[in-house]
Amino acid sequence: MTLLCAATRLTTNRLAVPAVRTITAYQRWVHTTRLLNLKQVPDTIWLKPPAPASLATSKTDRLSRLPQDTEGDMEVFRSLESLDECVRDLYEESVRTSGTILRGTDEVRFGRKYIGMVNMPLPIVAAIDRYVTPLSKRTLRHDYLRIADSLRSTGQLTPRGKGKGNAAARQRRQDVYGEEEEDEALGSSSRNTPMLLPGERVEVIATGVRPAPDSLVNPGTPLKPHTLEYGRGETAAYLAACTPGTYGAIYNILAELSQRIPDFTPRSVMDFGSGPGTALWAIQEVWPTEKLEKYQGIDVSEDMLLCAEAIIADIPVPEDGQRVRDIKFSRYLPPSPSDPQERHDLVVSAFALSELPTDSMRKTTVETLWGHTADTLVLVDRGTPDSARMISEARDQILALGDCFT
């Protein structure tokens, strides 16, 4: 049996967790300008790009195919050529300052993943819009902020200045520039601000107690770790604001799974923490619908399950006339079946383990999910230290049970 684990960051409005790296304003400007210029290039040019023999040949050949008939075409051509050189210089500089990296190895290629952009299917987008439109936008925003508070209270990145990387940066600055640190009793100043040399990378490890973030609903009030019960309002806010990010993460993981195991096509699926059925949408996009015979969604929120049923019922029948034959929802996870025929080819738990209150409940849940798995178990959660720890512990637990590979 197969185990696939992933901790991923959502990129949905204010729920997005910032990546642990700094992108200068100039790099953002270059990236944005390049995208705007690329949008002006006719799509037909990029339909069948030649197989490049080298990076330089690919760049020269592709730019030479751009139209240069009018002054506007020449402006686009010059902009793309200039931006291409600028991006190359930035890349070469990053390579020069990043230290030794084993490039081109099988391990790097296997673990590297660029998500890019994922578009939700238009029928699902239309169904979500019809579900959310009659509701009050003010109420939706308030409920979304409550969801954000809940997520931020249970999963935080290490704040600036709270890891030992902060001390390492100060020590490096002191060694290089000969600056003396001020007494902390004198208060904070610019000399206490951590500074990294160009190209320097320092591992940041959280030490001590992290400061609690402030509430978005009640600014100025520190948050206490808590989870949220999803009623109708919270469900609608989650559907409107969070599902694009969760769909993108789940879709990419399942698409990667289908590429790494091409002969795997699930016929029965169990979705723990199904929410509005996000994993089902992604599964139907990755694998043929006619092959999927059974789907079982499990979520403790009754309103989430009602929302999932409403969205599925509102989606038009595909052109091929195929739908999942057997779709069921339940509020509780059943015990592991004794009959192997009752197990599911694919079991998915996306962003659900971090919602469980205790480690013992997580261990019991992971063991039960593995008992329901006939072929592949996929565990996905948020890209925070706490969630990454939970995913790592779940992986170790399943590997200890044996009869699996990752």
Side-chain angles (χ1 to χ4, degrees):
M1 293 188 290
T2 306
L3 169 65
L4 181 62
C5 301
T8 180
R9 292 190 176 94
L10 302 183
T11 54
T12 306
N13 300 334
R14 296 182 66 175
L15 285 182
V17 181
V20 190
R21 64 188 178 96
T22 302
I23 301 179
T24 63
Y26 179 68
Q27 288 173 308
R28 288 196 299 267
W29 175 82
V30 168
H31 178 68
T32 304
T33 307
R34 189 164 183 250
L35 290 179
L36 293 177
N37 284 330
L38 285 174
K39 290 181 179 179
Q40 304 178 40
V41 180
D43 294 336
T44 55
I45 294 179
W46 312 104
L47 289 180
K48 295 181 179 180
S54 65
L55 187 62
T57 303
S58 172
K59 169 252 189 181
T60 305
D61 182 69
R62 180 165 292 187
L63 288 179
S64 64
R65 299 174 61 194
L66 293 175
Q68 304 178 34
D69 301 330
T70 65
E71 182 62 28
D73 294 339
M74 292 299 301
E75 185 68 24
V76 172
F77 177 83
R78 288 191 293 267
S79 298
L80 287 174
E81 188 175 35
S82 175
L83 287 171
D84 187 85
E85 294 295 335
C86 181
V87 170
R88 288 167 182 270
D89 292 341
L90 289 174
Y91 174 77
E92 293 174 358
E93 178 67 17
S94 65
V95 171
R96 186 181 66 81
T97 59
S98 61
T100 303
I101 299 177
L102 297 177
R103 299 181 181 274
T105 61
D106 293 337
E107 292 79 4
V108 171
R109 284 192 293 269
F110 189 77
R112 183 174 56 190
K113 176 64 177 177
Y114 298 105
I115 292 180
M117 180 180 292
V118 176
N119 293 324
M120 295 183 67
L122 292 180
I124 296 177
V125 174
I128 293 175
D129 183 68
R130 288 190 291 268
Y131 186 92
V132 173
T133 298
L135 304 178
S136 168
K137 303 303 182 290
R138 182 186 295 272
T139 303
L140 282 175
R141 180 180 183 277
H142 178 78
D143 290 330
Y144 165 71
L145 294 180
R146 294 179 60 234
I147 295 175
D149 277 352
S150 174
L151 296 178
R152 292 167 65 242
S153 71
T154 56
Q156 307 172 43
L157 291 174
T158 304
R160 179 174 177 173
K162 292 300 177 181
K164 71 176 184 182
N166 183 52
R170 288 200 304 267
Q171 183 64 38
R172 176 68 62 84
R173 184 186 62 190
Q174 186 176 0
D175 294 341
V176 174
Y177 298 103
E179 295 183 359
E180 298 293 336
E181 293 295 329
E182 294 182 355
D183 191 335
E184 293 185 359
L186 298 178
S188 60
S189 67
S190 60
R191 305 182 68 176
N192 287 327
T193 302
M195 180 182 69
L196 300 178
L197 299 178
E200 181 182 8
R201 294 181 177 181
V202 179
E203 182 182 5
V204 178
I205 301 178
T207 59
V209 180
R210 303 171 186 167
D214 288 344
S215 169
L216 299 176
V217 178
N218 300 310
T221 303
L223 284 175
K224 295 182 180 180
H226 67 281
T227 57
L228 195 66
E229 293 185 2
Y230 284 82
R232 176 172 173 76
E234 292 81 7
T235 298
Y238 182 92
L239 183 66
C242 303
T243 49
T246 56
Y247 174 84
I250 297 172
Y251 174 85
N252 273 277
I253 292 171
L254 297 181
E256 185 73 16
L257 175 63
S258 67
Q259 293 176 9
R260 296 189 181 187
I261 313 178
D263 58 346
F264 173 68
T265 302
R267 294 183 176 274
S268 61
V269 175
M270 171 178 281
D271 183 10
F272 177 73
S274 61
T278 315
L280 176 59
W281 311 339
I283 290 169
Q284 291 176 316
E285 289 296 307
V286 175
W287 289 288
T289 306
E290 64 272 10
K291 298 292 184 180
L292 184 58
E293 300 176 354
K294 181 180 180 181
Y295 170 85
Q296 182 178 3
I298 301 171
D299 199 289
V300 70
S301 171
E302 184 71 24
D303 290 283
M304 276 289 187
L305 300 182
L306 293 175
C307 174
E309 293 175 349
I311 295 296
I312 292 174
D314 196 23
I315 298 176
V317 179
E319 295 180 359
D320 56 9
Q322 296 290 335
R323 282 185 180 269
V324 182
R325 302 173 188 175
D326 185 10
I327 298 179
K328 295 181 180 179
F329 292 97
S330 60
R331 295 188 61 187
Y332 303 104
L333 179 64
S336 301
S338 56
D339 186 2
Q341 298 297 328
E342 298 180 2
R343 297 179 181 178
H344 300 269
D345 297 336
L346 175 64
V347 177
V348 180
S349 173
F351 309 102
L353 293 181
S354 58
E355 296 290 330
L356 300 177
T358 63
D359 289 338
S360 61
M361 290 186 64
R362 275 185 285 273
K363 291 180 180 180
T364 303
T365 301
V366 168
E367 185 175 355
T368 304
L369 292 176
W370 186 243
H372 281 279
T373 305
D375 193 300
T376 301
L377 171 63
V378 177
L379 302 177
V380 188
D381 220 297
R382 292 177 282 163
T384 62
D386 291 337
S387 297
R389 173 186 60 83
M390 297 172 191
I391 291 293
S392 179
E393 291 177 352
R395 179 179 181 273
D396 294 339
Q397 176 186 352
I398 294 176
L399 290 177
L401 297 175
D403 191 27
C404 75
F405 65 91
T406 62

